[in-house]
Amino acid sequence: MSGEREIGPFADGRGVADYAPAVLAMTRRLYPSRAIRSRVERDPEGQEEHEDYYILFDVDVTGLPAEQLTETQRQWCQEIFRHCPAPLVGAFRLGWAVD
């Protein structure tokens, strides 16, 4: 995919390497037994080069009811602040994939 980068070097460069494992663990807890693909993506609307990229945790949500999707997204958006300082949360995003 265009814009992909290695997660490790990206996380080091953005200063989020220490937080990425906790954010991934939180994502796994909220979406147990779901496939999660982690990758670096580029925001096509980004204005600053270093802010254009983020780590995407893309969760396979095939078959999950809308209510559960809404609730887990709300939880993810609240809980990320427990695992990463507020100025750095933009380095992480939640995505949904359907097979």
Side-chain angles (χ1 to χ4, degrees), residues 71-82:
E71 179 58 22
T72 53
Q73 181 181 30
R74 184 192 62 75
Q75 288 177 307
W76 195 94
C77 291
Q78 286 180 333
E79 290 187 28
I80 192 169
F81 292 96
R82 295 182 194 152

Side-chain angles (χ1 to χ4, degrees), residues 33-50:
S33 50
R34 294 290 171 163
I36 299 172
R37 180 177 175 206
S38 303
R39 65 182 184 274
V40 175
E41 286 283 325
R42 184 175 188 277
D43 183 347
E45 296 180 16
Q47 300 296 314
E48 299 179 36
E49 179 62 28
H50 71 283

Side-chain angles (χ1 to χ4, degrees), residues 22-35:
V23 175
L24 177 57
M26 173 195 66
T27 305
R28 285 185 175 142
R29 182 179 49 77
L30 292 173
Y31 297 93
S33 50
R34 294 290 171 163

Side-chain angles (χ1 to χ4, degrees), residues 48-93:
E48 299 179 36
E49 179 62 28
H50 71 283
E51 298 289 328
D52 285 355
Y53 291 88
Y54 54 88
I55 297 172
L56 177 68
F57 295 109
D58 214 6
V59 180
D60 179 1
V61 295
T62 303
L64 288 179
E67 298 82 18
Q68 186 175 359
L69 291 172
T70 302
E71 179 58 22
T72 53
Q73 181 181 30
R74 184 192 62 75
Q75 288 177 307
W76 195 94
C77 291
Q78 286 180 333
E79 290 187 28
I80 192 169
F81 292 96
R82 295 182 194 152
H83 304 287
C84 182
L88 300 176
V89 297
F92 301 103
R93 307 241 177 117

